Amino acid sequence: MSFKAKTILLLILLSLVPYVVTMTFLGNAYRNDVENRLMEDMGHQLAITIDRLDQSLQALQNDIEFIASLDIMNDVLTGDLDRRIVNLLLLKKDDLALDGDFDVVDASGLVVASTALDSIGSRINGEPFMQVPLFSTFNDDNIGTLRVRYEMSNLTRYFANDDNFRYALLVNGERYPAQMQSADALSVSGVIGLRPEIGIIFEQNRDFAFAVLDSFTRSFLIALAIGTLIISAIAFLAASYILRPILLLSSTARSIYKTHDYSQRVRVDRSDEIGNLASAFNAMIQGMQDLIARLKEEGENRLKLAQEKNRAEMLQTLSNKLSKYLSPQIYESIFSGERDVKLGSSRKKLTIFFSDIVNFTGTTDQMESEDLTALLNQYLREMTDIALRYGATVDKYIGDAIMIFFGDPHSRGVEEDALLCVEMSLSMQRRVRELHREWRAAGYTKPFVIRVGIHTGYCTVGNFGTESRMDYTIVGSAVNLASRIESTAEPGTVYISEDTYLLVREKFASLPVSKVTPKGISQPVQLYKVLMDEAAERVQTLSQDGFQLQYQPELLTAESREQLRLVLEKITRESSS
Amino acid sequence: MRIILLLLSIALVSVAEAAEYAVVVARNSPIEALDSERLRDIFLRRRSFEGNIPLVPVNLLGEEAVRTQFESQVLQMNRGQINQYWVTSHFQGIKPPATQASLQSIKTFIERVDGAIGYLPISMVDDGLKVLHEF
């Protein structure tokens, strides 16, 4: 049941219940009162009727007593020869309009005189309705009885019965006049004073008795029905008036729920509690609208942030992956925004490093591919680590060969780049030698031996390729020369070009080895072998103002070394002067 | 009317001459004879008993000849005197004798009622009755 229906019902009940209860109570009380009054009235009427019947009977009694006292009754003794008694009784019967008969019975029970002439001479039997003894007027002897045969019609003739009011006598369970007792009637009863065995009932048709009251009740019920209709209508209007804003609230709330249009508002045209509710609702919706707007904004921001973060993470992941393919310098340079990823190049003086594994194919022929891959990966990883440690740019891996350069994207200066490159190369060789022991321990009988070639020269460095696929690398004859030097180098050594040598000779002991003639260059290029470890330690260097003298001390005596020094001083002096 | 009165007076004269009526009781009554004075006392209800026997005098109702004769001869009173007598006696609680409407009923009354005493034409006297006095 809806709240509206409940409200209407409640209003109707509240309006009707006291009304109905009061009227019902009053109606009942009034009905009872009316019934009591009616019964009282009927009691009075019955009393009057009883009185009348009593009087009638009393008159009859008096009459027969009077008749009995007459001298004429002495004729009983003569058998009413002169029919004086009969005549008198006939007259009396006529006079009284009696339904019934008088009988005069002598002392022997023989009917001497009777208004029913047939019964004269017969013996009487049964009890009469009324009788008086007869006494002779001369000696008061009982000479007989004057009896009255009496029909109840003598009494019922006093009853003016109709459909609504009925009197009835009740004698020995017989009802006079014989008629059904009404089941639904007001009824009072009594007995006739003179003859207590005769009951008398007075009935009044209840419908008739309460006709006025019923009519009033009908009118009342009609009024009640009309009242109910009016009250219902008022209740409906009142409920509608009360609930309209609530329904409006409800429909607005539903509409907001369906359309998500939080700009909807309930019209507030009242200042009562419901008006306050509507205002509060509007305020709530306003709050929700603001909140939603804020949330939306926040959501969008978060989404943006998340997207950006995702993007960033993706980029990060991507770049992490990319970093594996790029040298960290290039990678950092690109991702820090220092260098645009676009086609383009510049010329720089770089130190280029090439290395490869000597007789890689021959060495690895006997190996299982898994072992080969593991060895190669370890080798490359180790080499790369070293390269990165020295700040090199690992350009690419070409099978077992590694191409590295110094000087781009970060350069510490051409000389420093060359120094770092040579030092890195020596570290790599040392590391490979260390790895030899490990590999042997691991069961590899033919360890890798690498050779290294280094050259310092101008290169074109940048992104080469197309917009969709580009490669950061260096090109130029210097690169080719470096590669050539590498292929010339002895296994396990580091060969450098003269250009490089000139940059690093202060730091690294090197011995000139051979010359090569690269393609497209007419002059052969002098190559130097960088001495490593013990070999380097065995070489002493004397440097003096543009001169540098390298020698192996164990081949010279102290005297020789002193002479050598003096010679050098002399040369220096002469050249400076 | 005059003729009737004439005839009536002739009849009375003739009755006076020879007794036509008798005072009677029932045959079984112990009373044998009563004189006029005693009869007057009885019929004026001055005396109710004869010896131990209660007496019930009975008059013929109306003004039949036999009653008139009885009143004049035995009671020796006319109707006016008699009425006067009973008015007076009424106040003393004395009521006049019982009456019967016919001679036949008087006869029956006498026969049936103990102590009944009445008057009848002699012609009606039969074995059931006893004549105490004639007039």
Side-chain angles (χ1 to χ4, degrees):
Chain A
M1 183 185 268
S2 70
F3 184 67
K4 187 174 182 177
K6 283 179 193 163
T7 307
I8 292 172
L9 202 62
L10 185 67
L11 286 171
I12 292 173
L13 281 177
L14 284 176
S15 310
L16 285 183
V17 164
Y19 185 48
V20 170
V21 167
T22 308
M23 293 310 286
T24 307
F25 175 74
L26 287 178
N28 270 334
Y30 187 62
R31 199 174 183 88
N32 290 337
D33 189 43
V34 166
E35 183 164 332
N36 289 340
R37 283 169 187 277
L38 284 168
M39 295 288 273
E40 203 175 323
D41 282 353
M42 287 169 69
H44 291 150
Q45 287 189 45
L46 181 69
I48 291 167
T49 304
I50 287 175
D51 203 30
R52 189 184 291 173
L53 297 183
D54 259 340
Q55 284 177 11
S56 165
L57 287 172
Q58 187 64 56
L60 180 66
Q61 180 84 30
N62 292 345
D63 275 342
I64 61 172
E65 280 176 1
F66 171 71
I67 292 168
S69 71
L70 292 174
D71 289 348
I72 208 169
M73 286 300 156
N74 290 332
D75 287 8
V76 171
L77 295 170
T78 65
D80 195 28
L81 275 176
D82 303 325
R83 299 181 67 83
R84 287 200 299 172
I85 297 175
V86 170
N87 289 335
L88 176 62
L89 293 177
L90 284 170
L91 280 174
K92 199 66 199 174
K93 180 183 174 182
D94 206 29
D95 191 25
L96 295 173
L98 180 72
D99 284 342
D101 286 296
F102 294 115
D103 296 308
V104 174
V105 181
D106 69 8
S108 68
L110 203 63
V111 177
V112 174
S114 175
T115 50
L117 299 174
D118 294 345
S119 57
I120 294 173
S122 62
R123 287 210 160 267
I124 202 75
N125 50 18
E127 279 294 308
F129 175 73
M130 196 182 278
Q131 63 179 352
V132 289
L134 298 174
F135 297 98
S136 67
T137 56
F138 41 86
N139 59 7
D140 293 333
D141 281 348
N142 188 334
I143 55 172
T145 317
L146 172 57
R147 303 161 69 111
V148 183
R149 281 188 266 164
Y150 195 77
E151 299 294 335
M152 285 301 149
S153 54
N154 291 297
L155 294 175
T156 59
R157 73 170 63 134
Y158 290 100
F159 299 160
N161 285 357
D162 58 24
D163 287 344
N164 299 319
F165 293 98
R166 282 185 299 278
Y167 285 96
L169 297 174
L170 208 58
V171 187
N172 298 328
E174 293 268 345
R175 195 180 155 99
Y176 302 94
Q179 62 186 174
M180 290 300 288
Q181 185 170 5
S182 175
D184 184 30
L186 296 176
S187 175
V188 290
S189 61
V191 293
I192 294 173
L194 274 180
R195 306 298 295 251
E197 75 276 15
I198 301 178
I200 179 163
I201 299 169
F202 181 35
E203 293 172 342
Q204 182 173 187
N205 189 325
R206 196 176 280 269
D207 289 344
F208 176 77
F210 291 107
V212 174
L213 191 59
D214 287 343
S215 166
F216 169 74
T217 306
R218 262 195 303 281
S219 305
F220 164 70
L221 285 175
I222 290 167
L224 186 65
I226 294 169
T228 305
L229 281 176
I230 293 169
I231 288 169
S232 300
I234 292 171
F236 180 80
L237 291 175
S240 298
Y241 173 73
I242 293 168
L243 293 176
R244 185 164 47 82
I246 295 175
L247 293 175
L248 199 59
L249 279 177
S250 161
S251 67
T252 307
R254 206 174 294 117
S255 167
I256 288 170
Y257 168 71
K258 279 185 182 165
T259 61
H260 300 293
D261 176 10
Y262 285 86
S263 65
Q264 295 180 74
R265 294 289 179 273
V266 178
R267 192 162 56 85
V268 182
D269 54 359
R270 300 156 69 146
S271 57
D272 55 11
E273 289 81 350
I274 292 173
N276 290 340
L277 174 64
S279 299
F281 177 81
N282 282 344
M284 185 183 75
I285 296 300
Q286 179 65 49
M288 286 173 77
Q289 190 180 11
D290 294 346
L291 185 64
I292 285 165
R294 208 158 57 237
L295 283 175
K296 196 174 173 186
E297 197 180 343
E298 277 181 18
E300 282 170 359
N301 288 342
R302 281 183 192 201
L303 188 63
K304 262 186 215 166
L305 281 176
Q307 282 172 344
E308 280 172 12
K309 194 177 170 188
N310 267 347
R311 198 179 169 84
E313 281 175 1
M314 197 178 73
L315 280 175
Q316 186 66 43
T317 311
L318 193 64
S319 61
N320 283 342
K321 285 180 184 169
L322 275 176
S323 70
K324 304 274 193 319
Y325 297 91
L326 294 174
S327 75
Q329 289 81 359
I330 301 298
Y331 165 80
E332 276 173 23
S333 179
I334 291 171
F335 285 95
S336 64
E338 285 177 20
R339 186 193 296 273
D340 287 339
V341 182
K342 62 183 182 186
L343 285 174
S345 61
S346 58
R347 277 190 74 76
K348 282 188 175 178
K349 191 167 188 180
L350 307 174
T351 300
I352 304 129
F353 165 103
F354 271 90
S355 77
D356 80 339
I357 296 167
V358 181
N359 195 22
F360 178 72
T361 313
T363 307
T364 56
D365 268 354
Q366 306 297 319
M367 293 180 75
E368 296 294 331
S369 62
E370 287 81 2
D371 291 343
L372 175 62
T373 312
L375 275 181
L376 189 58
N377 280 345
Q378 189 185 8
Y379 160 71
L380 292 175
R381 185 171 67 248
E382 295 276 355
M383 296 306 105
T384 307
D385 284 348
I386 292 166
L388 295 179
R389 202 155 59 231
Y390 284 88
T393 301
V394 179
D395 186 304
K396 58 173 74 78
Y397 304 106
I398 310 155
D400 58 313
I402 305 171
M403 176 179 168
I404 292 171
F405 59 85
F406 283 78
D408 194 83
H410 303 292
S411 175
R412 293 183 176 86
V414 175
E415 187 180 341
E416 186 67 15
D417 288 342
L419 284 170
L420 283 171
C421 186
V422 172
E423 197 174 333
M424 177 194 77
S425 307
L426 296 176
S427 291
M428 284 177 173
Q429 287 290 11
R430 277 194 291 272
R431 182 57 190 155
V432 169
R433 286 178 196 169
E434 284 171 13
L435 287 172
H436 284 176
R437 286 193 291 276
E438 290 180 24
W439 289 336
R440 280 206 181 84
Y444 302 117
T445 51
K446 290 184 176 177
F448 297 147
V449 176
I450 64 164
R451 57 189 169 200
V452 176
I454 297 171
H455 172 62
T456 301
Y458 279 95
C459 295
T460 303
V461 59
N463 293 316
F464 298 94
T466 64
E467 281 294 341
S468 56
R469 173 76 170 91
M470 55 181 84
D471 201 4
Y472 176 79
T473 188
I474 49 173
V475 292
S477 58
V479 180
N480 298 332
L481 181 57
S483 174
R484 181 73 187 282
I485 292 167
E486 181 261 316
S487 58
T488 310
E490 296 169 30
T493 63
V494 177
Y495 276 29
I496 57 176
S497 68
E498 187 154 25
D499 292 330
T500 306
Y501 170 77
L502 291 174
L503 293 169
V504 304
R505 61 184 176 179
E506 296 287 332
K507 283 266 182 92
F508 297 101
S510 310
L511 294 175
V513 279
S514 58
K515 290 184 180 179
V516 292
T517 306
K519 285 180 184 170
I521 297 175
S522 55
Q523 291 297 318
V525 175
Q526 177 66 49
L527 300 182
Y528 294 83
K529 175 176 146 188
V530 180
L531 295 177
M532 292 175 63
D533 305 333
E534 310 90 40
E537 282 168 11
R538 282 200 299 272
V539 174
Q540 291 283 323
T541 303
L542 282 173
S543 297
Q544 187 80 36
D545 298 334
F547 292 95
Q548 189 181 46
L549 178 67
Q550 289 181 330
Y551 62 95
Q552 287 187 317
E554 65 266 29
L555 299 178
L556 296 177
T557 62
E559 193 179 347
S560 304
R561 283 202 293 275
E562 186 56 32
Q563 285 175 351
L564 188 58
R565 192 181 60 82
L566 291 173
V567 170
L568 278 174
E569 281 179 358
K570 188 181 176 184
I571 293 168
T572 306
R573 256 197 323 271
E574 286 173 357
S575 61
S576 61
S577 61
Chain B
M1 192 64 183
R2 284 181 183 168
I3 295 166
I4 293 169
L5 284 173
L6 183 65
L7 288 172
L8 200 64
S9 61
I10 293 167
L12 284 171
V13 170
S14 60
V15 167
E17 286 175 352
E20 287 182 71
Y21 308 105
V23 176
V24 294
V25 293
R27 167 65 64 191
N28 56 3
S29 173
I31 303 170
E32 294 301 331
L34 289 170
D35 58 14
S36 295
E37 193 172 350
R38 183 60 61 94
L39 284 171
R40 187 160 59 247
D41 286 348
I42 287 168
F43 275 88
L44 294 177
R45 303 300 303 270
R46 291 171 185 158
R47 173 188 283 269
S48 299
F49 291 89
E50 182 63 30
N52 289 327
I53 301 158
L55 293 170
V56 181
V58 58
N59 270 330
L60 179 65
L61 194 65
E63 294 186 13
E64 296 293 327
V66 62
R67 180 171 177 175
T68 311
Q69 189 80 2
F70 178 76
E71 284 173 351
S72 63
Q73 299 237 335
V74 178
L75 301 183
Q76 297 178 344
M77 298 168 84
N78 62 29
R79 183 54 63 92
Q81 289 170 319
I82 287 170
N83 285 349
Q84 182 61 46
Y85 171 77
W86 286 121
V87 168
T88 308
S89 298
H90 179 76
F91 294 104
Q92 296 169 356
I94 300 168
K95 292 197 286 185
T99 59
Q100 287 295 315
S102 66
L103 291 170
Q104 186 58 48
S105 58
I106 285 182
K107 182 170 182 260
T108 308
F109 188 87
I110 292 167
E111 285 170 353
R112 291 188 183 173
V113 180
D114 290 344
I117 177 167
Y119 42 82
L120 287 168
I122 289 174
S123 59
M124 286 181 69
V125 177
D126 57 15
D127 290 346
L129 300 175
K130 187 194 288 182
V131 176
L132 299 182
H133 181 81
E134 290 184 357
F135 58 91

